[in-house]
Amino acid sequence: MMGLMASDETRTETRTETPTEARVQAPAESGVPEVPGEATATRAWTTWTTRLLMLGIVLAAVNLRPAITSLGALLEEVRDGLGMSGSIAGLLTSVPPLCFAVFGVTAPRLARRFGPGAVVCAGMVAITAGLLIRPYAGGTGGFLAATALALMGIAVSNVLMPVIVKRYFPDRVGSMTGLYSMALAFGTSVAAAATVPLTDALGGHWQPGLAVWAVLPALAVLPWIPFVRNRKAPAATVPSASQPGSGSQGKKPTEQPPLRITRSRTAWALAVFFGLQATAAYITMGWMAQIFRDSGVSAGTAGLLLAVIMVMGVPLAFVIPRVATRLPHQGPIVVVLGVCGLAGYAGLYFAPVGGAWVWALLLGVSNCAFPLALTMVGMRARTGAGVAQLSAFAQSTGYLISIPGPLLVGVLYQHSGGWGLPIALMSALMVPQIVVGVLAGRNRTVEDEAAR
């Protein structure tokens, strides 16, 4: 897949660069002297850094969900080890969206101050530290605090991925979004499938079974190190062809005033869509393995079923963004994903064991609303500044919306003694997700709406 993206880059090297791209790729901005006789060296440097950045994006994306799905696979063991009730476990499954909402909103400001590469690099360090500490923190409070540290790193990286793609790959938003969404789905599914076997191989204790996932973010730090020193202003301050100061006028770029993003109906629709799909995703990651286990499925098989749900995102997360960018309206994709989710929940209610693999496949397709939402973030804004604001607003607001979902599932499960009511809740939430997704998929931009 990396080879495919590299070949795409080779095919597009001969096209005429826009002023934004020229500035982003300018060797002088990155510390390489702009000498007329060094055109070949400059091209080689650009190719090398582009590939390194692609590698960094992929490795970072791989680490954006294992902290959550590895815990979901061992939730029963963690509950027993820490003495958690069902309600407290529900609170634990609500921590990810809470942290994403709280810390994600700070990502654009941090990126302006330190550069997006430095922030993502620090995020990988935070994930590594949190995953190493949390199994051995002692007690529920320490476990939650260490989990929050890891999720803080995930939160800022979540928000900055669309920004980095828009900045460095403006002509390949769909394919690059698909690439890192596919990597994200791969990491999610591998953690779901491998956590139980790894735990057994490490002596059967849940602590090393969770701590082992700190290896991946530690590796992901390495490709981002060369970008740490790049503290130049993000693309939001770089003029495009449609902004004042671009072209050959010789004027310095001026930072555009922030959008009044809350005036955009599309931004609100996208935020609610993001929140509802996140609700479904975190309920799935936190509780789906337990739903299958309570239905009579073994722990190992339940982990595999969760992995199937997550692994569906590997191919579809690459295909869906590419298809979405070719459509004037993304509503039809939203409807298809929603119908798959409704069918999966219905099957889970009526025949959780007999059709378990089918329901896992359907729910896996439905969970691909996440890469679709990320793609629409890049499509519903014209400029890098708009993407940064829309990404932060949609993700932070969306994750706030998603906080009650996993907690409510835990409460309903504890007080009803079964999974009927939680599954009914999941099904009911799919309907408004389809409605707001269709609204968010309309062909318009937040810049136009915010200016009204």
Side-chain angles (χ1 to χ4, degrees):
M1 189 58 62
M2 293 293 292
L4 174 63
M5 297 305 302
S7 64
D8 287 344
E9 175 195 337
T10 302
R11 288 194 297 271
T12 58
E13 280 183 351
T14 58
R15 62 180 174 79
T16 302
E17 292 179 333
T18 65
T20 299
E21 292 170 274
R23 180 177 174 88
V24 169
Q25 297 180 0
E29 183 178 7
S30 305
V32 179
E34 197 169 0
V35 180
E38 295 185 352
T40 301
T42 297
R43 284 196 297 272
W45 181 89
T46 301
T47 300
W48 182 84
T49 51
T50 299
R51 291 176 178 173
L52 184 64
L53 181 61
M54 290 168 61
L55 176 63
I57 290 172
V58 169
L59 290 180
V62 167
N63 287 284
L64 296 183
R65 294 299 180 271
I68 304 167
T69 50
S70 61
L71 176 59
L74 294 176
L75 184 58
E76 184 172 316
E77 288 75 10
V78 174
R79 287 175 58 190
D80 293 340
L82 298 178
M84 293 183 185
S85 65
S87 298
I88 296 297
L91 176 62
L92 181 61
T93 57
S94 292
V95 168
L98 174 62
C99 290
F100 293 168
V102 171
F103 298 117
V105 74
T106 67
R109 182 176 300 177
L110 292 173
R112 287 193 296 270
R113 174 65 178 86
F114 301 104
V119 177
V120 173
C121 185
M124 295 300 110
V125 173
I127 297 170
T128 303
L131 294 185
L132 277 176
I133 295 170
R134 76 172 180 177
Y136 307 103
T140 301
F143 189 92
L144 287 171
T147 298
L149 175 62
L151 294 173
M152 177 177 64
I154 296 173
V156 295
S157 301
N158 268 338
V159 171
L160 292 180
M161 283 295 161
V163 178
I164 290 172
V165 166
K166 187 76 169 183
R167 175 180 181 177
Y168 290 100
F169 306 94
D171 57 335
R172 284 174 282 164
V173 170
S175 58
M176 285 302 301
T177 300
L179 180 64
Y180 79 73
S181 298
M182 187 172 64
L184 187 151
F186 175 78
T188 304
S189 58
V190 167
T195 296
V196 172
L198 279 174
T199 301
D200 294 338
L202 293 171
H205 301 291
W206 61 267
Q207 288 92 340
L210 291 182
V212 70
W213 294 106
V215 174
L216 291 179
L219 293 175
V221 170
L222 301 178
W224 289 100
I225 292 176
F227 300 97
V228 168
R229 297 180 61 186
N230 180 14
R231 298 190 181 185
K232 300 293 184 183
T237 64
V238 178
S240 66
S242 61
Q243 289 177 321
S246 63
S248 59
Q249 302 300 318
K251 296 179 181 179
K252 294 183 179 180
T254 56
E255 185 171 355
Q256 298 298 307
L259 294 171
R260 299 175 66 178
I261 199 76
T262 55
R263 298 181 61 178
S264 169
R265 294 181 179 179
T266 297
W268 279 107
L270 189 53
V272 176
F273 176 69
F274 199 99
L276 291 174
Q277 68 81 28
T279 299
Y282 289 110
I283 289 174
T284 298
M285 287 186 280
W287 290 108
M288 195 58 64
Q290 191 67 48
I291 292 175
F292 284 121
R293 290 176 72 169
D294 287 351
S295 300
V297 176
S298 67
T301 303
L304 288 175
L305 287 166
L306 179 59
V308 167
I309 296 174
M310 299 299 122
V311 81
M312 289 300 295
V314 175
L316 292 180
F318 189 71
V319 172
I320 288 176
R322 294 174 70 90
V323 174
T325 55
R326 288 167 169 78
L327 296 176
H329 194 307
Q330 290 72 49
I333 304 177
V334 172
V335 173
V336 170
L337 299 182
V339 170
C340 287
L342 289 172
Y345 289 135
L348 197 62
Y349 181 84
F350 290 106
V353 178
W357 297 100
V358 177
W359 318 141
L361 288 172
L362 288 171
L363 292 173
V365 173
S366 179
N367 269 358
C368 288
F370 176 71
L372 177 61
L374 292 179
T375 305
M376 288 196 289
V377 167
M379 297 179 68
R380 297 288 87 88
R382 287 196 306 268
T383 65
V387 172
Q389 282 190 256
L390 181 57
S391 180
F393 175 75
Q395 294 199 45
S396 296
T397 304
Y399 285 128
L400 280 174
I401 292 171
S402 70
I403 290 171
L407 176 60
L408 186 56
V409 165
V411 172
L412 290 175
Y413 170 59
Q414 180 173 352
H415 290 281
S416 67
W419 289 106
L421 286 178
I423 292 174
L425 172 65
M426 292 181 245
S427 301
L429 291 176
M430 190 59 64
V431 176
Q433 177 179 321
I434 295 173
V435 173
V436 294
V438 170
L439 294 176
R442 294 174 298 175
N443 187 16
R444 54 192 64 190
T445 64
V446 294
E447 286 91 349
D448 293 336
E449 294 181 339
R452 294 174 185 171

